[in-house]
């Protein structure tokens, strides 16, 4: 949360519209709930909110360098492109974060403090975040909205611009 705060101050973006994907969306939501006066609106894509212990352990097991090298080399390559040398430090941190989310994560009760519009989007073929979970999340948000993107999986690169951009443009126009 401190990193997000420093970023906003550094780029003089206060208040801001947040766009978060996956755990980045979760982090942005956690920040926004504690700093709602600094948020105009938020878009969460493929952001998992509901975590069970077994599910968190399964996902965390896939967040190790060894697992990615053996089982998901193409995903590892994209993560290395995005994070560079920092990836080896990020993965253990993410692993620990995910394992602890069932016990320490956000609650539906906290979502009542979201005093800003939140678009929850998910792909209809998302392997991590079922559409039903995205529906549950958006229903808990006082100004929640929902978009289900057709023929879209979890990886961000499966989102097709010609489908996403008109919906995004409409959302941003309604924030103004």
């Amino acid at each position: 949360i401190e990193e997000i705060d420093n970023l906003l101050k550094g780029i003089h973006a206060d208040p801001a519209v947040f766009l978060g994907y996956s755990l980045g969306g979760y982090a942005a939501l956690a920040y926004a709930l504690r700093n709602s006066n600094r948020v105009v609106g938020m878009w969460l894509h493929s952001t998992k909110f509901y975590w069970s212990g077994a599910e968190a352990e399964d996902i965390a097991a896939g967040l190790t360098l060894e697992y990615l090298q053996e089982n998901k080399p193409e995903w590892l390559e994209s993560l290395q492109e995005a994070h560079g040398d920092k990836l080896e430090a990020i993965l253990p941190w993410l692993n620990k974060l995910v394992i602890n989310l069932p016990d320490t994560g956000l609650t539906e009760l906290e979502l009542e403090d979201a005093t800003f519009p939140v678009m929850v989007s998910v792909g209809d073929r998302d392997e991590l975040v079922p559409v039903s979970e995205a529906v549950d999340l958006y229903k808990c948000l006082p100004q929640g909205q929902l978009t289900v993107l057709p023929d879209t999986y979890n990886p961000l690169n499966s989102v097709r611009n010609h489908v996403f951009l008109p919906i995004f443009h409409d959302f941003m126009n309604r924030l103004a």
Side-chain angles (χ1 to χ4, degrees):
I1 291 181
E2 186 177 315
E3 289 88 1
I4 295 172
D5 202 44
N6 290 337
L7 174 66
L8 289 177
K9 289 175 184 173
I11 62 173
H12 307 288
D14 194 7
V17 176
F18 288 81
L19 287 91
Y21 165 67
S22 193
L23 282 173
Y26 193 93
L29 181 59
Y31 174 84
L33 289 171
R34 289 168 180 82
N35 299 278
S36 61
N37 61 321
R38 301 182 75 188
V39 181
V40 174
M42 175 172 285
W43 187 297
L44 304 173
H45 179 70
S46 194
T47 297
K48 186 155 189 64
F49 183 80
Y50 300 97
W51 295 88
S52 72
E55 188 176 43
E57 288 176 15
D58 287 346
I59 292 170
L63 293 173
T64 66
L65 192 57
E66 298 77 24
Y67 176 85
L68 293 170
Q69 287 169 333
E70 290 178 25
N71 301 290
K72 305 267 184 177
E74 61 286 338
W75 191 40
L76 176 59
E77 185 177 322
S78 69
L79 288 171
Q80 287 171 326
E81 287 177 22
H83 301 287
D85 294 339
K86 295 178 182 179
L87 183 61
E88 287 190 45
I90 291 171
L91 286 173
W93 178 83
L94 276 176
N95 188 293
K96 183 177 179 181
L97 171 74
V98 169
I99 285 174
N100 288 304
L101 280 173
D103 298 322
T104 62
L106 297 170
T107 66
E108 286 184 349
L109 185 60
E110 289 173 286
L111 295 178
E112 294 175 6
D113 294 333
T115 58
F116 41 85
V118 180
M119 176 64 78
V120 176
S121 68
V122 66
D124 64 346
R125 298 171 189 242
D126 194 311
E127 313 91 310
L128 179 62
V129 182
V131 172
S132 61
E133 283 189 20
V135 170
D136 291 344
L137 174 58
Y138 116 87
K139 285 182 176 180
C140 290
L141 293 159
Q143 295 186 56
Q145 301 167 43
L146 176 69
T147 295
V148 179
L149 301 173
D151 198 30
T152 304
Y153 296 85
N154 181 277
L156 193 56
N157 63 1
S158 76
V159 174
R160 293 164 299 149
N161 288 340
H162 73 279
V163 175
F164 172 78
L165 289 176
I167 301 165
F168 177 73
H169 183 76
D170 177 65
F171 178 74
M172 294 299 290
N173 283 340
R174 288 185 283 121
L175 292 178

